[in-house]
Amino acid sequence: MPADPKLLLAVRHGLAAGALALLLAAPLQAAGPASVPDGLPAATDAGVAPALAADPKLEADMMELSHKLRCLVCQNQSIAESNAPLAVDLRNQVREQLAAGKDKDDVIDYLVERYGDFVLYEPPFKAATLLLWLGPLALLLGGAGWLGWRLRRRSVEVATEQALSATDRERARTLLAGGGDAAPDTASPEFRK
Amino acid sequence: MKAKFLVPLLLFFGLAGFLAFGLTLNPREVPSPLIDKPAPNFRLARLDQPDKTFALEEMRGQVWLLNVWASWCVACRQEHPLLVRMAEQKLVPVVGLNYKEVRGDGAISVRGMALEAETAMAVERGQRWLKDHGDPYLLSVMDIDGRIGIDFGVYGVPETFLIDREGRIRYKHIGPITPESLQTQILPKVEELRRAG
């Protein structure tokens, strides 16, 4: 084997730790708002239903909000994308309330009061969701810290073992030269194995 | 040295434990934020006497169930015999919320239909259904457009709300009531609320 097996082992450990950190960090991406296509053309929305609001600004606001709200029937769709009757009703509610002059936060609060945080695609940052938001970051930092510690310790170990093998080499040379092994060193790695 | 080998194993069991717990949860059952909050008030036309209205506050002082139903709802048909039996045994008063009777039915388009015509159709359909399958309700009210349903956070039919004497929602059952859920969840909670005065 051309490479030092110890080094290879260290690299393998490192890769495994890195992969684990990545794997554990992945759900953050999935849970994040990445699934909300903001710039998508309106044609892909289920809201092909006629735009009831004459005001295009209002309609755009309604669609923007709808993309942030989960349809409770088809849970992997927003109420903008879903054609479930409930999604249509909720879109109408959003439109009606915006038209009545409520601002976007009020409309979101109105729906959260009735359907809970589940209606939000982006989970709110609060005590109960602390682990969800910060967990992946903590795992990543923990993994990186652990990896750094391992690598540093390993390089120290390798250095120490090389120093020991130098004395062994000295002993071997004495043995080969025909000298007796007068004092076998019980602390040498040979004996520990 | 030995303990170090156990670390990945323990991590694995920890993760497997979380995943196993996840398997026991039903993602279709979204916990309601309305539990222990005052039930949203409503005043709606009665299904049996459409010229009269009924308001939620008229049930004040009683422990009762609000059952969301519709004639087009297949799962309601499944739970209906149980509701009828409950009514025969006079276990607990049940008020029906007839939810989007006409426009909720995928087979009917209400586009261009006047609200009066839709209401008349809802009355006719709802009353006929109760005649055919039995009427377990103290009375039913009509939520023609589903607005009251949204206030209650309804996202599927049937759903059943347990409401206490002060008009607070104390429990929500999602989907058809089963004899098991009636015995283990709903009736014990009704008893508890009645005892609490």
Side-chain angles (χ1 to χ4, degrees), chain A residues 13 21 54 57 69 84 91 119 124 127 151 158 163 186:
Chain A
H13 275 228
K57 163 88 169 66
L69 298 165
R91 281 204 300 272
V119 81
L151 286 177
V158 169
T186 44

Side-chain angles (χ1 to χ4, degrees), chain B residues 9-153:
Chain B
L9 192 68
L10 290 179
L11 278 177
F12 168 76
F13 278 123
L15 199 61
F18 277 116
L19 294 175
F21 177 67
L23 282 179
T24 67
L25 303 175
N26 182 357
R28 290 268 148 216
E29 291 199 3
V30 181
S32 172
L34 291 167
I35 303 296
D36 294 334
K37 302 248 168 67
N41 199 10
F42 59 74
R43 179 169 285 284
L44 290 171
R46 293 172 60 149
L47 177 64
D48 53 345
Q49 296 162 288
D51 50 335
K52 287 194 179 142
T53 62
F54 172 85
L56 179 122
E57 60 212 14
E58 290 174 38
M59 292 303 285
R60 196 160 282 262
Q62 293 192 63
V63 177
W64 57 290
L65 297 178
L66 180 73
N67 176 250
V68 186
W69 68 280
S71 73
W72 45 261
C73 153
V74 180
C76 300
R77 200 161 299 193
Q78 185 188 330
E79 80 171 353
H80 203 73
L82 186 62
L83 289 175
V84 173
R85 248 179 293 143
M86 282 165 68
E88 282 165 3
Q89 297 173 25
K90 298 196 191 313
L91 292 177
V92 55
V94 183
V95 171
L97 180 70
N98 178 265
Y99 178 75
K100 293 169 71 174
E101 174 59 42
V102 177
R103 66 179 70 181
D105 187 340
I108 298 177
S109 168
V110 289
R111 193 158 289 185
M113 194 189 279
L115 189 61
E116 290 75 33
E118 189 183 349
T119 308
M121 195 185 224
V123 169
E124 197 270 320
R125 284 167 52 115
Q127 287 185 356
R128 179 152 39 89
W129 197 80
L130 289 180
K131 218 162 99 191
D132 290 350
H133 297 87
D135 185 355
Y137 301 109
L138 191 66
L139 60 102
S140 277
V141 291
M142 291 183 292
D143 185 18
I144 296 286
D145 56 5
R147 281 291 290 273
I148 303 304
I150 292 180
D151 279 344
F152 275 83

Side-chain angles (χ1 to χ4, degrees), chain A residues 20 24 49-50 72-75 85-86 89-90 93 96-97 110-118 150 153, chain B residues 4 11 15 27-34 99-100 103-104 111 145-147 149-155:
Chain A
L20 185 67
L24 291 170
L72 287 103
V73 182
C74 329
Q75 299 183 345
L86 182 71
D89 285 356
L90 291 181
Q93 273 292 316
E96 220 172 88
Q97 300 207 1
Y110 167 89
L111 286 170
V112 169
E113 264 169 35
R114 285 159 180 75
Y115 290 99
D117 287 340
F118 190 74
R150 282 294 294 183
R153 219 186 62 159
Chain B
K4 232 162 98 180
L11 278 177
L15 199 61
R28 290 268 148 216
E29 291 199 3
V30 181
S32 172
L34 291 167
Y99 178 75
K100 293 169 71 174
R103 66 179 70 181
R111 193 158 289 185
D145 56 5
R147 281 291 290 273
I150 292 180
D151 279 344
F152 275 83
V154 170
Y155 63 89

